[in-house]
Amino acid sequence: MERRWCNIVHTKRKKRKEREKQWRIEENLDLVRSSIRLAQKTETEMDILNKLKNLDAYPKINEDFYNRTLSGGLITLFSSVAMFFLFFSELKLYLNAVTETRLVVDTSRGETLRINFDVTFPSLACSLLSVDAMDISGEQHYDIRHDIIKKRIDHLGNVIESKSDGIGAPKIEKPLQRHGGRLDHNETYCGSCFGAEASDTDCCNSCEEVREAYQKKGWAMTNPDLIDQCKREGYIQKVKEEDGEGCNMHGFLEVNKVAGSFHFAPGKSFHQSGISLFDLLASFQTESYNISHKINHLSFGEEFPGAFNPLDGAQWKQPTAGVYQYFIKVVPTIYTNIRGRKINTNQFSVTEHFRPTSGYPQPLPGIFFFYDFSPIKVTFSEENVSLLHFLTNVCAIIGGIFTVSGIIDAFVFHGHRAIKNKMAIGKYG
């Protein structure tokens, strides 16, 4: 019985050893298979890497064969400086907006135009100067006062007085006469228009109203010293007090967007028989007017970045009387900044001309601006440079400088070596 039990145990041990041996064989086979697969994969990767290596367009030179030269160092230094300079220039252009310009046909209609001006007359008093505007549509504006500031200046250019009112003296509310007679106690005052009344009920209670009545008749009021209202308001005295002074006028005009003109002239304009004339209020002064002037600023529309106004700072010094004429071509412009805000404005070019008052017919002295519009509109748009464009330019800069520097270095190196070899065999010189 015992022997039988021992046989059974021995048989079990033998089977277990055979199973363990089989497991080890299978594990070894798995290891072999893994090694074969790894070897095949490694071989495939090496083949791919070798193929990629064969595509290398920049073969490397062993360090043992390097030959560094002084000329190569200098060329490298200068090329590096140029490379950095061009890189930062390109970076500056990328960070800042660029302006794109386009031309389109101007199809706008029914718009108005703002004319901004600042003109100094060193030899004309503010009491004599007036501003008039007219256009080809037939609209006319004489002696414009609103949105205009006048500054009295002395011969040194110092400001004496600044006022928004135009030509004229303070109005006397209650003069003492009614059409040449005395004013009764309970009677409403009605001053004479000195023959310029359109009806018996018309009244001129100030010097200005007399002049307006004269203008409606087409008369020039050349004798303000004979007008009672002007004498009582001290108008003549005020004009005489400003004799020898200068005047600065600045402000703006709102006009139709059609061809037209505006001008600065001594006296007030009036219209007669289709012709614009002036009543020269300073008949008690000299008959020659010094229209010397300086245009501090003149623009059409709103200012925009980079705008250039060709008449800013223009100055004419002409002691004799004459007519200064500026012929202006206005170009409609739209400026769009980087934030998308549009500025509708204008640019202009100008041609100047001076005509003396001598000869016949004798022109009226003054400064005349004649403007017309171009049918082409200019659009400016601020845009950022794209990142791809920036990277392309940077690569072009680096590659271009590197290639050119290599060519220069090779030329210098081989030339120097050729000269050195000729000197060594005694053939140079």
Side-chain angles (χ1 to χ4, degrees), residues 13-116:
R13 288 179 179 176
K14 185 177 180 180
K15 289 181 178 180
R16 185 171 62 249
K17 289 181 179 179
E18 289 177 356
R19 286 196 299 269
E20 290 177 355
K21 183 178 180 179
Q22 185 67 28
W23 289 344
R24 285 194 294 271
I25 292 173
E26 290 179 357
E27 289 179 354
N28 291 333
L29 288 175
D30 291 339
L31 290 175
V32 171
R33 293 191 190 97
S34 300
S35 299
I36 292 173
R37 286 196 298 268
L38 181 61
Q40 291 175 347
K41 183 179 180 181
T42 303
E43 185 178 358
T44 303
E45 291 178 351
M46 291 300 295
D47 290 340
I48 294 174
L49 293 177
N50 288 331
K51 290 180 180 179
L52 291 176
K53 188 183 297 183
N54 292 331
L55 296 176
D56 186 8
Y58 310 98
K60 312 304 183 291
I61 301 175
N62 194 302
E63 293 185 359
D64 296 337
F65 300 99
Y66 279 161
N67 186 12
R68 304 182 185 274
T69 62
L70 177 61
S71 61
L74 293 176
I75 292 174
T76 302
L77 178 62
F78 284 115
S79 62
S80 300
V81 172
M83 196 179 300
F84 277 107
F85 176 76
L86 294 178
F87 170 77
F88 284 111
S89 299
E90 193 65 31
L91 180 62
K92 183 179 179 181
L93 291 176
Y94 171 71
L95 296 177
N96 296 329
V98 296
T99 303
E100 295 290 336
T101 305
R102 299 180 181 88
L103 298 178
V104 296
V105 177
D106 185 17
T107 58
S108 59
R109 295 179 299 172
E111 296 181 356
T112 59
L113 173 68
R114 171 171 288 197
I115 303 175
N116 309 292

Side-chain angles (χ1 to χ4, degrees), residues 12-278:
K12 289 183 177 179
R13 288 179 179 176
K14 185 177 180 180
K15 289 181 178 180
R16 185 171 62 249
K17 289 181 179 179
E18 289 177 356
R19 286 196 299 269
E20 290 177 355
K21 183 178 180 179
Q22 185 67 28
W23 289 344
R24 285 194 294 271
I25 292 173
E26 290 179 357
E27 289 179 354
N28 291 333
L29 288 175
D30 291 339
L31 290 175
V32 171
R33 293 191 190 97
S34 300
S35 299
I36 292 173
R37 286 196 298 268
L38 181 61
Q40 291 175 347
K41 183 179 180 181
T42 303
E43 185 178 358
T44 303
E45 291 178 351
M46 291 300 295
D47 290 340
I48 294 174
L49 293 177
N50 288 331
K51 290 180 180 179
L52 291 176
K53 188 183 297 183
N54 292 331
L55 296 176
D56 186 8
Y58 310 98
K60 312 304 183 291
I61 301 175
N62 194 302
E63 293 185 359
D64 296 337
F65 300 99
Y66 279 161
N67 186 12
R68 304 182 185 274
T69 62
L70 177 61
S71 61
L74 293 176
I75 292 174
T76 302
L77 178 62
F78 284 115
S79 62
S80 300
V81 172
M83 196 179 300
F84 277 107
F85 176 76
L86 294 178
F87 170 77
F88 284 111
S89 299
E90 193 65 31
L91 180 62
K92 183 179 179 181
L93 291 176
Y94 171 71
L95 296 177
N96 296 329
V98 296
T99 303
E100 295 290 336
T101 305
R102 299 180 181 88
L103 298 178
V104 296
V105 177
D106 185 17
T107 58
S108 59
R109 295 179 299 172
E111 296 181 356
T112 59
L113 173 68
R114 171 171 288 197
I115 303 175
N116 309 292
F117 63 87
D118 184 353
V119 185
T120 300
F121 300 85
S123 303
L124 274 179
C126 290
S127 299
L128 301 177
L129 282 171
S130 64
V131 184
D132 306 312
M134 58 194 69
D135 57 48
I136 60 173
S137 68
E139 188 168 338
Q140 300 175 348
H141 300 276
Y142 296 114
D143 190 22
I144 302 173
R145 299 188 181 187
H146 54 83
D147 302 318
I148 295 176
I149 302 296
K150 288 185 176 182
K151 294 181 180 180
R152 296 170 54 196
I153 57 176
D154 59 18
H155 65 284
L156 298 176
N158 301 316
V159 177
I160 301 173
E161 179 188 10
S162 179
K163 58 182 180 179
S164 57
D165 191 15
I167 303 174
K171 178 181 178 181
I172 295 180
E173 295 297 336
K174 292 184 179 181
L176 299 180
Q177 52 112 21
R178 168 182 165 82
H179 284 213
R182 300 287 296 181
L183 181 65
D184 294 338
H185 181 68
N186 295 323
E187 188 177 4
T188 302
Y189 173 74
C190 180
S192 172
C193 295
F194 298 89
E197 299 91 347
S199 65
D200 294 337
T201 59
D202 288 346
C203 301
C204 297
N205 295 344
S206 66
C207 182
E208 187 64 27
E209 291 178 0
V210 174
R211 298 183 59 175
E212 291 175 356
Y214 269 49
Q215 288 181 8
K216 291 179 182 179
K217 288 286 187 178
W219 300 348
M221 192 177 74
T222 58
N223 55 346
D225 52 335
L226 301 179
I227 306 299
D228 187 68
Q229 288 89 329
C230 297
K231 290 190 295 184
R232 292 183 181 278
E233 292 174 9
Y235 179 83
I236 301 172
Q237 184 63 28
K238 185 175 183 62
V239 174
K240 289 182 177 181
E241 288 175 358
E242 295 183 9
D243 187 20
E245 295 179 358
C247 185
N248 172 262
M249 298 182 66
H250 66 275
F252 64 89
L253 306 174
E254 289 283 352
V255 298
N256 297 322
K257 193 176 177 180
V258 295
S261 67
F262 65 98
H263 57 260
F264 303 86
K268 281 198 174 183
S269 301
F270 65 96
H271 200 67
Q272 185 178 35
S273 301
I275 302 175
S276 296
L277 302 175
F278 293 90

Side-chain angles (χ1 to χ4, degrees), residues 4 62 68 74 99 118 166 239 264 319 323-324 329 342 350 385 427:
R4 184 180 177 183
N62 194 302
R68 304 182 185 274
L74 293 176
T99 303
D118 184 353
V239 174
F264 303 86
V323 180
Y324 295 88
K329 177 66 72 173
K342 286 188 176 182
V350 62
V385 178
K427 291 185 177 181

